[in-house]
Every structure is written in structure tokens, then in C-alpha cells.
Amino acid sequence: MKSIFIFPFILVLSSLFSCGHQGYPSSLLIADSLCEANPDSAIAFLSGLSSHQSEFDDDSRWYYRLLRLKAKCKAYIKYNEGDKVEAMAVLDHYENSGDRNLLSRAYYYAGSVAYDLGDAPAGVEYFQRAMDALADTTDLQFRSALNFRIGFLLLNQGVYAPSLDYFRTSYHLEQIRKDTAMMVYCLEKQAFAYMDSHKIDSALLYFNRAISLAKTQRNSLLVKQITASLASYYIKNSEYSMADSCLAPYMEYVHDADKMVFYGLMADVCMNTGRCDKGNMYCLYLLDKGDVYFKQKACRLLVMYHSARNDVRNASRYIDLYDKYTDSVRVIEAADVVARMNASYNYSNYKTKAANLEVENARANMWKMLYGSLAFVLAALLIVGLLWVRKRAKAREMRFEILKRDMAEHSDAHIRELEGRMAELQLKLGEAERHGAQQAQQLVMQQAQLEALVDMANRRRSIRTTIKERLAGSSIYMMVRDAAAAGAILSDSAWDELDSFVNELIPGFKASLYGISKLSKQDYHLCLLIRLGGLSGTDMATVMGRTKSAVSKAKTKLQERFIGSGREAGNLDDFIASL
């Protein structure tokens, strides 16, 4: 999402499309004014006029239909397919026989409908036609708003250079009109375009220009809103304290339209400034109310949150959810390939392009469609493949990091470190009790937290030791050792017995492995032997009926699938032993 806070500048834009034309019934002029002041009331008012349409002449009836589209737009109600049919009918009327003064508005709402329905190129084309329809007028206000809307649409499509041209045009028109607030928003959007195209220095320059200009308005809310937008710049550069200072002043002004984006920024900031519990609260809100992008972000942050607390169960749960939402995002992004390609089209030449297309014969069009479809499919498959590889690599890296943290936090060295810190706290506590009760109370709380960590680490180490001892002392283990010593291959019934024993002692062992990657029967048998422990590579090769080098290669492939390449050989054993 390229606009961090939408609602404030929409309020300013809402004054740009009033069309109070003379010669229409006063009830329609009132409805037009209501669209600007109170869109919800305008919708209700227009619904009440529905039964009086027979009293209107033909021009007024079409004006009524245009106003219904306008009211829905002003109320920020997303258009649907039914609205598309209506918008096309209204546009056809004003293109052919209606009031020419309303043609540019008909194009504008046709573009708004197209954009809401996901057809960004058509939306930009209709907005461009709306500007062409204004060619002989001096309506700078509407022309500026159209340039701003086209720039905003292209920015959301990731087409940054053309979007900058439209924002600059809107800025210069607002300079002529002396509308400082709209000039501020144009500078803000240029900052986002530079930031998203990785021109960081230019982005900061335009953010600062927007803030400086806002300050000349003596409008503290506008200054706070633009400063809050600057937080996205600092988060992108991992300067979370600076981002926090930008967001804090705007917190009490957050509107429903801004809430999701604001909470997304706050979740990032809190998780990276030590306020993890508050960050967790924001993440849960995003997970409950957000779209798939916010849910994906929330899961990523919640994995960090629970991993830091050594809560492996919840961390694993959110890894699974993260993978699920990443898959959904991948599908959406693959579908956006064509939209992004089309959005980079040279819209200023669209009339010439359209005329050329009309004179092409049907056969040429058919081949173009076939080639275009093939190119889209290939591009989509390529993107899906690349995203799938990146997702798998990121998931493996996350699993490896959790393993390292888990091993470190339950090692003898870590427990000794915690016990040493407890001893230091005990000495400080003695000093504090002689100087001040408040400091002593804080130290007691810290001591209790350390004791809980030591106790948890010892209990988990004890559980692992118990499992290891039960595996090593079992009759199943002796059966496998005897078979290896005798050079015998395990029978199917022996493998089934080993499988049942391991999964009874460690519930979910098999499900955890298959949840990460599909395994062949031989790969799963190898994982069972690794989890049993105490077996050499030669022993494993013997009971599996394979060569030692084949087992070594199989372990290397499993390590790549589970935790990634470039790890030490023992990491696979440690990972499987951690399940």
C-alpha cells in the first residue's frame, strides 16, 4: 500500500468534484451538495428520490444516475460489477448526447469503477479521457485532482516514474490555485514514489519538504499526519526509534480508514523497540481484521515474538500460517503481472494505440491474444517458481534459527550464565535492601524471571534426556543394533515397529517431518534411525540395505530440504533430535 494515511487527504479531495449545474431540479442540486458534505446522507436522499424519477426530464434522470455513482464513491463504498454496467451506460449517454459539462465526471467515475474492479490500465485511460474532456475549460481544481488520482493509481501499481510526472503536474496546478494542503499531499506521494523505487535520499528530501510546507499552514494535525507517514521511511531503514517518534503524535487522530496501516507500522516499531507485548497486541489485530498482506506480516512478527520467548509450539503454528498467507500473496502477485505490465503503458498515446487496434484484422488480434496469453502464463509461472523458492529458503532459514536458539537456550553454558546472573542479582539485592525498597523490588522481579528461565531450561533438558535414555534403553534400539551387527536388513514389520515406537514416545514426530516436506519411504526410515540415535553411518546403511555413500548423500539432501545448504553435517541430526 503506497499511501500510509488515506483519510486526511481524501477529506481534502472531497471538495474537488462538486458539479452544481443550473437547470436541474433543486432536489438533485441538494443531493450533489450532500455528496460532498455527507455522502451517507446523500445515498439515503437519492434513494428517496428514486420513486420521483418519472417527474424528471431525460437530462435530469441521467444526472440522477451519475449522482448515485458519485455518492457511492464519496462514501468510500467499493464499486461492484453492477456499478460497472451502470457506469458504462451513464458514460455512453454523456459521450453521445448528454450534457457535455458532465462528460468529464462520467469518465472519472467510469475510471473509479474500473480501478475498484482491478482494471488499473482502463482506470487510467478513463481518467486521461476525463482530462481531455476538460481541454477547453479552466477548471484547474478538477484537472489537478485527476492528475493526482492517476499518479496515485500508478504508484499503487508500482509504476513509479510516470506517477511522479502526474504528482508534479498536480503540485504545479495547486501552486497556481494556492492550495497548500494539496501541495503537501503531492510532495508526500512523490516521497513514497522515490522510496519505493529505492531512491532513499530523494524520498527523505520530499518528506521534509512536505513537513516544512505543512508547518506554514499552522495546521498541527496536517504536520502530525505527514510526520507519521515519514515513519515508513525510517522503518524501511531499520531506524525504529525514529519511526516511533514520528507515529506517537498522530496516535490519537487515527481514523478507521488509517487504522490497519497505522497498526501495521506500530507492530513493526514495538517488536523492534522492546515493547513486544504491545507489538503482539497489534499483530493479533492485524491477523483478525487485516487483508492477506497484513496477515502475512503479522505472522512474520509473531514468529519472532514467540521464538524470542522459546515458545516453539506457537512459533511453529505461526510459521505454518505465514506459509499459508505467503502462498495466497504469491497467487495475487502472479495475477498482478499483466496489470503491472499494462500500467507501464504510455497512456498519453492511448488514442493512437486504440485507433491502430481498431484497423487490425481479426486474425492478427487472435495471434496477439495467443502470444500475450502465453507470455503471461510463462511470466506467471516464472514468478510463482521464484517466489516458491524464496519462500522455501526463508522457511528453512527460520527453522534453522529457531533450532540454534533452542539449543543455545537449553545448553549447559546458557544455564550457567543464567545462574551467574542470579548470583550477581543476589549481591545487588543485598545492597538494594540497605538503600531503597523500590530498587529492591525491581531486583526481586528480575530474580524471579531468571529463576523461571533456569527452571524452564532444566525441565526441557530433563525431558530431552529422558527421551534419549528411553530410546537408547529400548528393545527396539537393541533390535536395530543387533541387525546392524549381523549385517541384516530390517524387515517391513521391523520398520513398522520402529515407526510406532518413535511416534508413541514422541507424538507428532512423523507429522512434523511431512509437514515440512514430502518424504520417500527410505528418507523417512533414515529420519527414524537418526532420531533413534547412537547409530553410525555404516550401521544405518546396513539395516537399510544401502551403501554408506548413498546414506551420506541422502542425509545431505534431507538437510537441504529441512534447514538449507551450507550447514555443518551435524545440524541435520540436531534438527531431527529437536522434534
Side-chain angles (χ1 to χ4, degrees):
M1 185 176 293
K2 306 298 186 256
S3 176
I4 294 299
F5 298 105
I6 298 174
F7 184 73
F9 79 77
I10 286 180
L11 289 178
V12 178
L13 281 177
S14 67
S15 65
L16 302 185
F17 302 103
S18 178
C19 39
H21 302 279
Q22 300 301 319
Y24 291 108
S26 59
S27 57
L28 293 182
L29 298 178
I30 291 171
D32 196 344
S33 298
L34 276 175
C35 286
E36 307 297 342
N38 193 330
D40 292 333
S41 296
I43 291 173
F45 185 76
L46 287 167
S47 295
L49 292 178
S50 177
S51 58
H52 298 282
Q53 287 191 66
S54 59
E55 302 170 10
F56 298 155
D57 59 22
D58 188 61
D59 283 344
S60 297
R61 279 194 291 272
W62 283 106
Y63 183 32
Y64 169 82
R65 294 173 70 172
L66 178 69
L67 288 177
R68 288 182 68 93
L69 292 169
K70 177 178 180 178
K72 194 167 185 178
C73 180
K74 295 299 182 182
Y76 319 122
I77 299 172
K78 192 171 183 178
Y79 290 119
N80 55 39
E81 289 291 341
D83 296 318
K84 179 179 179 180
V85 174
E86 177 69 359
M88 292 302 100
V90 169
L91 179 58
D92 181 70
H93 168 74
Y94 284 108
E95 279 185 323
N96 293 297
S97 59
D99 185 346
R100 302 298 290 181
N101 291 320
L102 294 176
L103 177 58
S104 58
R105 269 69 181 181
Y107 278 128
Y108 178 82
Y109 295 116
S112 299
V113 170
Y115 178 66
D116 274 3
L117 295 179
D119 192 351
V124 175
E125 180 174 330
Y126 283 127
F127 292 146
Q128 181 68 54
R129 289 182 180 181
M131 284 201 287
D132 291 346
L134 287 171
D136 298 328
T137 73
T138 57
D139 193 342
L140 300 182
Q141 190 177 50
F142 190 32
R143 188 179 297 281
S144 172
L146 282 167
N147 276 279
F148 189 96
R149 185 67 186 270
I150 295 173
F152 187 69
L153 189 153
L154 292 175
L155 177 59
N156 280 340
Q157 289 294 304
V159 187
Y160 305 119
S163 74
L164 284 168
D165 292 336
Y166 284 106
F167 286 134
R168 291 189 189 108
T169 301
S170 180
Y171 178 84
H172 292 311
L173 290 169
E174 296 302 342
Q175 273 187 314
I176 297 171
R177 296 185 58 249
K178 303 186 186 304
D179 188 333
T180 305
M182 276 304 298
M183 289 166 63
V184 168
Y185 291 125
C186 290
L187 292 171
E188 179 200 35
K189 296 302 168 287
Q190 289 178 73
F192 283 126
Y194 281 122
M195 185 172 70
D196 289 344
S197 55
H198 307 293
K199 297 179 180 179
I200 302 301
D201 292 339
S202 296
L204 183 59
L205 172 65
Y206 275 84
F207 272 126
N208 287 331
R209 282 185 62 189
I211 292 170
S212 297
L213 186 58
K215 287 178 178 177
T216 66
Q217 280 284 87
R218 302 185 183 277
N219 183 339
S220 61
L221 178 56
L222 180 61
V223 174
K224 290 173 182 175
Q225 185 243 315
I226 302 299
T227 304
S229 294
L230 178 59
S232 60
Y233 167 86
Y234 288 120
I235 289 174
K236 195 177 185 75
N237 290 282
S238 301
E239 298 179 54
Y240 297 104
S241 296
M242 292 294 292
D244 193 21
S245 65
C246 290
L247 291 169
Y250 191 66
M251 187 172 295
E252 63 180 292
Y253 302 103
V254 176
H255 190 274
D256 286 344
D258 302 333
K259 185 177 290 185
M260 202 61 61
V261 179
F262 185 85
Y263 280 11
L265 294 173
M266 285 301 300
D268 253 326
V269 168
C270 290
M271 287 296 191
N272 288 280
T273 54
R275 294 173 291 165
C276 294
D277 288 337
K278 193 168 185 179
N280 179 57
M281 178 193 72
Y282 286 123
C283 286
L284 293 177
Y285 181 89
L286 296 177
L287 202 57
D288 181 42
K289 306 290 187 183
D291 61 18
V292 65
Y293 294 99
F294 284 115
K295 290 178 189 292
Q296 181 196 37
K297 176 178 184 175
C299 288
R300 174 177 61 80
L301 294 174
L302 287 168
V303 169
M304 293 170 49
Y305 175 79
H306 290 290
S307 297
R309 282 155 178 71
N310 202 36
D311 186 348
V312 177
R313 183 178 65 83
N314 275 317
S316 299
R317 180 163 69 92
Y318 285 115
I319 288 175
D320 292 340
L321 282 173
Y322 177 81
D323 288 346
K324 170 189 169 184
Y325 292 125
T326 300
D327 288 341
S328 299
V329 168
R330 185 171 66 241
V331 171
I332 294 170
E333 288 178 344
D336 282 345
V337 171
V338 169
R340 286 181 176 272
M341 292 170 62
N342 287 339
S344 61
Y345 179 77
N346 185 352
Y347 292 105
S348 63
N349 295 324
Y350 75 92
K351 285 187 175 180
T352 303
K353 299 285 185 181
N356 290 337
L357 285 174
E358 287 175 3
V359 299
E360 288 181 2
N361 59 54
R363 189 171 184 178
N365 280 335
M366 179 189 70
W367 282 110
K368 281 194 171 185
M369 288 178 63
L370 287 174
Y371 287 137
S373 299
L374 179 60
F376 167 69
V377 170
L378 291 175
L381 287 174
L382 176 62
I383 289 176
V384 168
L386 290 173
L387 290 173
W388 180 81
V389 170
R390 288 180 60 189
K391 185 201 80 169
R392 290 288 300 274
K394 186 176 290 186
R396 288 194 296 265
E397 187 66 29
M398 194 173 290
R399 285 194 292 270
F400 183 65
E401 291 301 322
I402 291 174
L403 169 64
K404 287 198 301 184
R405 188 183 296 113
D406 186 59
M407 292 176 64
E409 291 183 355
H410 300 96
S411 65
D412 290 337
H414 183 65
I415 293 174
R416 286 196 298 272
E417 179 191 348
L418 292 175
E419 290 173 341
R421 287 166 60 188
M422 285 174 58
E424 291 178 11
L425 273 178
Q426 190 63 42
L427 293 175
K428 291 180 180 179
L429 186 58
E431 288 290 324
E433 287 174 344
R434 291 193 293 273
H435 293 89
Q438 184 175 1
Q439 185 181 3
Q441 185 179 6
Q442 293 175 348
L443 291 172
V444 168
M445 291 175 63
Q446 293 179 28
Q447 185 181 35
Q449 291 173 349
L450 284 174
E451 288 174 350
L453 289 174
V454 171
D455 181 60
M456 182 185 298
N458 281 321
R459 277 187 292 162
R460 296 198 60 175
R461 185 172 61 175
S462 175
I463 291 171
R464 291 189 176 185
T465 302
T466 300
I467 291 175
K468 186 176 181 180
E469 290 174 350
R470 288 192 61 185
L471 287 170
S474 66
S475 59
I476 300 294
Y477 178 73
M478 296 306 298
M479 175 191 72
V480 176
R481 286 300 302 267
D482 291 345
I489 299 173
L490 289 182
S491 64
D492 288 343
S493 61
W495 283 115
D496 290 341
E497 196 174 347
L498 173 58
D499 186 6
S500 297
F501 173 70
V502 170
N503 280 281
E504 285 176 8
L505 183 61
I506 311 165
F509 174 74
K510 184 175 184 178
S512 297
L513 290 173
Y514 279 85
I516 297 170
S517 174
K518 290 182 179 180
L519 299 175
S520 67
K521 188 175 182 179
Q522 283 193 326
D523 285 343
Y524 179 58
H525 286 171
L526 180 56
C527 292
L528 285 173
L529 294 175
I530 293 172
R531 190 65 183 91
L532 193 59
L535 299 172
S536 66
T538 302
D539 292 336
M540 294 181 189
T542 299
V543 299
M544 293 181 71
R546 306 178 73 181
T547 65
K548 185 177 178 180
S549 64
V551 169
S552 177
K553 289 178 181 178
K555 289 181 72 173
T556 300
K557 289 181 180 179
L558 283 174
Q559 178 160 299
E560 162 66 21
R561 288 155 73 182
F562 287 155
I563 56 177
S565 58
R567 315 294 186 197
E568 296 178 2
N571 289 145
L572 175 65
D573 293 10
D574 291 334
F575 175 73
I576 292 177
S578 72
L579 297 176

